[in-house]
Amino acid sequence: MGREMVIVLDFGGQYNQLIARRVRECNVYCEVHPYNISLEKIKQLQPKGIIFTGGPNSVYAKDAAVCGKEIFELGIPILGICYGSQLMAYLLGGKVASAPVSEYGKTEVEVDTGSDMFKGVSETTICWMSHTDYIEKAPEAFRVTARTTVCPVAGMECPEKGLYAVQFHPEVMHTVEGMTMLRNFVMNICQCSGDWKMDSFVETTIHAVQEKVGNGKVLCALSGGVDSSVAAVLLAKAVGKQLTCVFVDHGLLRKNEGDEVEAVFGPEGPYELNFIRVNAQERFYKKLAGVTEPEQKRKIIGEEFIRVFEEEAKKIGAVDFLVQGTIYPDVIESGLGKSATIKSHHNVGGLPDYVDFKEIIEPLRMLFKDEVRKAGLELGIPEHLVYRQPFPGPGLGIRIIGEVTEEKVHIVQDADYIYREEIAKAGIDKGLGQYFAALTNMRSVGVMGDERTYDYAVALRAVCTSDFMTADCAEIPWEVLSKVANRIVNEVKGVNRVLYDCTSKPPGTIEFE
């Protein structure tokens, strides 16, 4: 191949693409492949390194994901992470057992800084653990390079064969020096030069789309959000006028957003796109009437989206492909592959069983939000669009707890508009990963103008994150929160209480539903 590559073998962990993303942060191209990829295929790919991911099962389970130990004889450096480290130990003659104490969360780990994996790392460092089994004894020829108070082999290596393993997750942000460790593996152990850039992804993807589409017609589900906007411009670069962008205003958008999207992508905007706006507010409200369960709401919105697109496609005639701005956190949370379902995203797990298109194209499916933004900048999309606040496909339908009504939509639109306005005025918007207002289904007693009220509570949410797989609650200055709360209670009819959500991800998700 003409470029350096590290491959990630997926054993079913939640963080498989996050590992790939961290490798790409080292400017080394990385792909994820199934754990049972053939040795012949690996040889064809010519990777400079291989990483085994974590996984949900024990190496002793009947349905355990296990590769052949011949992979260790390829002469390619291999790093095993969590389950991947246990599998390496198990296949090479070590002993894996149930840990006397399960470790979960931030854990103090002692590392051997003489190991090539831990060069430049503190002798005692904080790492993210998530395991029930552990390596009780390392295989012969391996030496232990890391340990905790309850985990005797938190790291091991056999440098002569290029084999390294860690029980913790260096790829997550909670492992403080995790990037240093991964960079050590990729750059020093695998000896990669780091010459891959995001423009390579854009160029390769445009070429792949052109080959796939040929002379076919393409319909893009354009929401106006970052992901679908980047997908739309990417497809426009690839297939030009073969692309039609359909923007569905489902009545669940932020205040004034429908008109803003049309101003950017419509006939008067800077992009030469075939643009169609469908005003389907009443249609969605009727479908959602009486529905309170979050997954059901997501499924309804997802299916109705597809049905609208199908109708528009028939009007255009003979549309072969549907394009969506699906990104990797959507895929993982929707529980595709081996991962557990957290919530269905309407453009992934929320799709109905039957979709009347030849194929669905998701050019951003393996990227994280910040990588999507880099791709957007490479495509020439202005910064104010690329760094726009993320907005979920189901829109305010999942920021309204319980039944969705037109009245509730107006309440949360107005509250959210005030919140975003004050955050921007305070100059703290650029430092936040995502922030929004949601409408709870809680009503409580209040007093306004010497009279009793019984109105809704609005919850404010703000998080700091780069990859949207994990997130920390943002510490918004009290004077800003106080001003927002005061304005919402005074200016938004039907609200008499404002709350602030202090939950991180995990255990919560960024959205409320």
Side-chain angles (χ1 to χ4, degrees):
M1 294 196 58
R3 61 186 171 193
E4 295 177 326
M5 176 193 295
V6 169
I7 63 172
V8 173
L9 298 193
D10 177 14
F11 288 89
Q14 288 275 340
Y15 301 129
N16 50 17
Q17 277 292 338
L18 184 54
I19 297 170
R21 170 259 171 84
R22 297 298 186 217
V23 174
R24 293 197 295 261
E25 284 181 359
C26 298
N27 293 329
V28 174
Y29 182 68
C30 188
E31 291 181 350
V32 177
H33 292 273
Y35 70 90
N36 55 0
I37 183 175
S38 69
L39 292 181
E40 289 71 23
K41 178 64 175 175
I42 293 176
K43 291 174 183 176
Q44 288 174 13
L45 292 171
Q46 299 180 355
K48 299 202 70 172
I50 300 171
I51 301 177
F52 291 180
T53 74
N57 298 320
S58 167
V59 294
Y60 297 111
K62 287 183 179 179
D63 59 348
V66 179
C67 63
K69 61 182 181 181
E70 297 81 7
I71 194 170
F72 301 114
E73 302 302 324
L74 291 176
I76 301 170
I78 297 176
L79 169 63
I81 294 175
C82 196
Y83 173 86
S85 70
Q86 296 168 14
L87 181 64
M88 184 182 291
Y90 171 70
L91 291 175
L92 296 176
K95 186 176 180 183
V96 177
S98 294
V101 179
S102 297
E103 287 181 302
Y104 180 79
K106 295 178 180 179
T107 305
E108 197 171 83
V109 180
E110 293 181 10
V111 303
D112 179 356
T113 56
S115 163
D116 287 342
M117 271 296 298
F118 300 122
K119 282 184 177 176
V121 176
S122 307
E123 290 184 357
T124 301
T125 187
I126 298 299
C127 301
W128 183 263
M129 288 282 194
S130 180
H131 68 100
T132 322
D133 287 356
Y134 73 161
I135 301 170
E136 189 173 81
K137 182 182 177 183
E140 288 187 19
F142 278 74
R143 69 185 189 92
V144 176
T145 55
R147 57 181 53 83
T148 74
T149 54
V150 298
C151 186
V153 187
M156 65 179 191
E157 67 177 29
C158 179
E160 295 77 16
K161 289 195 172 184
L163 304 180
Y164 299 80
V166 292
Q167 179 60 69
F168 50 85
H169 288 273
E171 71 275 18
V172 303
M173 294 176 69
H174 300 307
T175 297
V176 177
E177 297 175 275
M179 268 308 295
T180 299
M181 300 173 196
L182 286 174
R183 192 173 286 110
N184 282 339
F185 177 73
V186 172
M187 308 305 289
N188 300 332
I189 294 170
C190 298
Q191 296 187 331
C192 292
S193 59
D195 58 1
W196 183 83
K197 306 288 184 187
M198 182 52 72
D199 58 356
S200 302
F201 167 81
V202 170
E203 182 181 341
T204 302
T205 304
I206 287 174
H207 180 68
V209 168
Q210 288 170 338
E211 284 195 345
K212 181 186 290 289
V213 170
N215 296 321
K217 288 186 178 180
V218 185
L219 184 67
C220 179
L222 176 62
S223 71
V226 177
D227 307 329
S228 68
S229 297
V230 173
V233 175
L234 186 65
L235 264 292
K237 296 257 187 192
V239 299
K241 289 296 184 177
Q242 292 168 242
L243 172 69
T244 298
C245 292
V246 177
F247 167 56
V248 178
D249 187 344
H250 51 18
L252 303 170
L253 298 170
R254 290 171 286 205
K255 189 171 183 177
N256 303 327
E257 191 157 34
D259 294 338
E260 291 172 2
V261 170
E262 186 170 4
V264 173
F265 292 99
E268 305 302 320
Y271 303 105
E272 294 182 6
L273 298 174
N274 296 319
F275 178 85
I276 297 172
R277 177 174 178 173
V278 181
N279 294 313
Q281 296 91 332
E282 293 304 319
R283 176 172 175 170
F284 279 83
Y285 292 155
K286 285 179 183 177
K287 287 281 186 178
L288 291 167
V291 180
T292 59
E293 206 280 318
E295 274 295 283
Q296 193 178 357
K297 287 195 287 186
R298 285 178 173 271
K299 297 284 187 181
I300 287 170
I301 295 169
E303 177 159 358
E304 206 59 20
F305 255 107
I306 290 295
R307 299 306 168 225
V308 172
F309 291 135
E310 287 175 345
E311 291 167 13
E312 293 304 316
K314 287 174 183 175
K315 294 177 187 176
I316 297 166
V319 172
D320 303 296
F321 301 93
L322 172 66
V323 174
Q324 296 189 137
T326 308
I327 65 172
Y328 188 68
D330 301 342
V331 176
I332 276 296
E333 290 187 338
S334 295
L336 299 192
K338 290 179 175 289
S339 302
T341 300
I342 299 168
K343 57 189 179 182
S344 294
H345 290 258
H346 80 278
N347 52 346
V348 192
L351 289 175
D353 293 333
Y354 175 72
V355 180
D356 191 15
F357 294 96
K358 178 180 176 181
E359 192 172 341
I360 293 177
I361 297 175
E362 296 170 316
L364 311 176
R365 186 182 179 87
M366 293 296 108
L367 300 187
F368 289 83
K369 183 71 72 175
D370 59 327
E371 292 181 312
V372 172
R373 288 183 167 132
K374 288 178 184 176
L377 293 174
E378 285 292 336
L379 287 162
I381 301 175
E383 278 197 25
H384 72 276
L385 292 180
V386 169
Y387 288 99
R388 190 175 188 180
Q389 269 289 295
F391 192 62
L396 301 181
I398 56 168
R399 292 182 181 175
I400 295 172
I401 312 303
E403 183 183 13
V404 176
T405 66
E406 189 171 0
E407 177 196 8
K408 289 181 179 179
V409 169
H410 291 316
I411 289 174
V412 75
Q413 280 178 334
D414 290 341
D416 182 71
Y417 186 84
I418 290 170
Y419 185 35
R420 288 186 291 121
E421 187 176 60
E422 292 300 331
I423 289 287
K425 281 183 182 177
I428 57 176
D429 51 323
K430 294 292 191 297
L432 300 175
Q434 192 166 346
Y435 54 96
F436 58 87
L439 184 64
T440 74
N441 58 358
M442 182 186 85
R443 301 183 75 181
S444 61
V445 174
V447 56
M448 298 176 72
D450 295 327
E451 291 188 5
R452 177 186 184 275
T453 62
Y454 187 64
D455 287 327
Y456 288 106
V458 161
L460 305 178
R461 179 84 161 132
V463 298
C464 296
T465 181
S466 61
D467 54 40
F468 288 77
M469 290 292 286
T470 60
D472 292 319
C473 167
E475 296 183 16
I476 304 295
W478 177 250
E479 59 269 22
V480 177
L481 286 177
S482 179
K483 187 173 183 180
V484 171
N486 185 61
R487 281 194 61 191
I488 289 174
V489 168
N490 281 283
E491 297 176 32
V492 182
K493 187 179 179 181
V495 177
N496 66 359
R497 197 176 294 264
V498 177
L499 314 172
Y500 187 67
D501 181 3
C502 298
T503 314
S504 64
K505 175 187 180 180
T509 57
I510 293 176
E511 295 291 342
F512 275 65
E513 290 191 337

